Amino acid sequence: MNNFQYSRASDVADAIRLLSTDPSAKLIAGGTNLIDLMKENVERPSRLIDISRLPLRGIEEAADGGLRIGALVTNSDLAYHPLIEQRYPLLASAILAGASAQLRNMASVGGNLMQRTRCAYFYDTTTPCNKRSPGTGCSALDGLNRNHAILGASKSCIATNPSDMSVALAALGALVHIAGPVDARTVALTDFHRLPDDKPHLDTILGRGEIITAIELPPHSFTQNYSYLKIRDRLSYAFALVSVAVALELEGNAISEARLALGGVAHKPWRSLEAEAALRGQAATPDHFGHAADLLLQGATAGSHNGFKIELARRAVVRALMQATNATPQSQAHKKIA
């Protein structure tokens, strides 16, 4: 680990000022990802700006009936907050599918959105990696790419986004509030993370000096028919091979509203408006679910070791839609899939 300076931001404006004046500075709150990356010499910030004491830990009702969640709310506090459990159970389920209880107690909402890929080559500083060192190449393209992307990848990078929380937020239509040196702005969660294209070292659309201040959930919360299905190599905590967030509104057996998002398959949570539109007005049947899965996975391509993920994802989508239809969401306490 390299030497670095440490600063504690007094307020959001101070954090922005410190971040804007030092291009290699990093914000730290829970530190559950950044400290690991610093230990591995993947991240070598000249300065850490501690934002853990900023007043961004509130969960407040918005005027439109939604919720505004401060960026420093911990994953545990969010998952077990009564308003989240009652009104956004899909989000609570996705959070509880991720990491361990100890990590969830430390990790923050904003940090979860900023966590970096778990690609083994990204962590191995002896290997080429365009995400870690732009222009050096992608070792995963011809390497062990079992866990890597099947959607939205490029010749520069086939890494995946590791977040569970972001997949549910994408399905729920969440917004990200951002403060910066010029102005504040709000973007859809689905637009917050980037595809790799030829700049895989850029994970998000954040500009220099910008920080996440809050996440906003819309009023539509899908409390009855939802499921977060996470397929992983072990029942203990592990990153997703494939995950699916599903939220439905049903009128009898007909689907009036549908949300679908995939995790573990791309550089960002993967959502298809075309697949969701194909479900609306249809009966909740396996045939229609399979058609939606095919649309969601349009353009999927495999590397040398991850071809199985395409069929795995298709089956996971159908299974999660069935769970949501039957109001039997996947349990994150008993992770075996019924």
Side-chain angles (χ1 to χ4, degrees):
M1 183 182 289
N2 285 7
N3 291 330
F4 57 87
Q5 294 182 304
Y6 171 86
S7 302
R8 177 174 291 160
S10 57
D11 53 31
V12 171
D14 190 37
I16 292 170
R17 181 185 63 79
L18 291 168
L19 196 58
S20 300
T21 55
D22 187 344
S24 66
K26 294 286 183 181
L27 301 177
I28 186 166
T32 55
N33 186 207
L34 178 59
I35 297 299
D36 281 347
L37 292 170
M38 291 172 65
K39 290 177 180 175
E40 298 292 339
N41 272 326
V42 176
E43 294 277 13
R44 289 176 288 181
S46 59
R47 179 191 297 270
L48 288 185
I49 304 167
D50 186 347
I51 59 171
S52 62
R53 298 189 183 184
L54 299 185
L56 301 174
R57 293 182 180 275
I59 298 178
E60 303 167 348
E61 296 204 55
D64 64 357
L67 288 182
R68 182 182 173 101
I69 302 160
L72 294 178
V73 174
T74 68
N75 291 11
S76 292
D77 285 347
L78 184 60
Y80 293 116
H81 193 283
L83 290 175
I84 298 298
E85 288 183 319
Q86 296 163 13
R87 290 164 51 177
Y88 300 94
L90 173 61
L91 178 57
S93 179
I95 294 170
L96 295 177
S100 65
Q102 293 87 346
L103 288 167
R104 293 195 296 267
N105 288 341
M106 288 297 297
S108 65
V109 170
N112 189 287
L113 267 58
M114 294 299 293
Q115 65 179 312
R116 309 206 69 189
T117 183
R118 262 60 179 183
C119 173
Y121 299 104
F122 175 67
Y123 274 76
D124 183 354
T125 57
T126 67
T127 63
C129 173
N130 287 322
K131 179 174 285 296
R132 174 172 27 81
S133 303
T136 59
C138 175
S139 298
L141 283 174
D142 298 315
L144 296 174
N145 47 41
R146 180 175 181 274
N147 297 327
H148 290 70
I150 55 174
L151 289 162
S154 74
K155 293 182 179 178
S156 297
C157 182
I158 57 173
T160 57
N161 183 295
S163 173
D164 292 292
M165 181 190 297
S166 293
V167 184
L169 290 173
L172 290 168
L175 303 174
V176 184
H177 289 265
I178 299 166
V182 178
D183 207 350
R185 59 180 176 139
T186 302
V187 300
L189 188 284
T190 48
D191 295 329
F192 180 75
H193 297 99
R194 296 178 71 259
L195 291 179
D197 299 321
D198 60 350
K199 295 179 180 178
H201 59 292
L202 301 177
D203 293 334
T204 74
I205 52 85
L206 283 184
R208 182 172 171 180
E210 288 189 319
I211 71 171
I212 302 168
T213 55
I215 304 298
E216 183 177 335
L217 291 171
H220 202 158
S221 53
F222 302 95
T223 57
Q224 298 299 317
N225 298 101
Y226 69 90
S227 190
Y228 186 72
L229 176 59
K230 180 176 180 178
I231 309 296
R232 52 194 132 186
D233 282 329
R234 58 183 185 185
L235 288 178
S236 179
Y237 71 94
F239 296 100
L241 288 169
V242 170
S243 66
V244 190
V246 170
L248 300 175
E249 287 286 346
L250 298 175
E251 295 178 2
N253 192 44
I255 300 169
S256 56
E257 181 60 60
R259 304 288 180 82
L260 274 174
L262 281 175
V265 298
H267 207 250
K268 59 186 293 182
W270 194 261
R271 186 177 166 191
S272 164
L273 299 182
E274 183 181 4
E276 294 172 7
L279 285 170
R280 294 190 191 102
Q282 301 293 336
T285 64
D287 285 347
H288 290 133
F289 296 162
H291 178 58
D294 290 339
L295 292 174
L296 187 60
L297 289 161
Q298 269 185 339
T301 58
S304 50
H305 299 285
N306 65 350
F308 73 98
K309 289 181 72 170
I310 298 175
E311 180 61 19
L312 180 67
R314 187 183 188 281
R315 295 188 183 201
V317 169
V318 173
R319 177 64 66 94
L321 282 163
M322 292 173 62
Q323 291 176 339
T325 298
N326 296 327
T328 55
Q330 177 63 36
S331 169
Q332 304 307 336
H334 306 287
K335 299 173 185 175
K336 290 184 178 178
I337 300 169

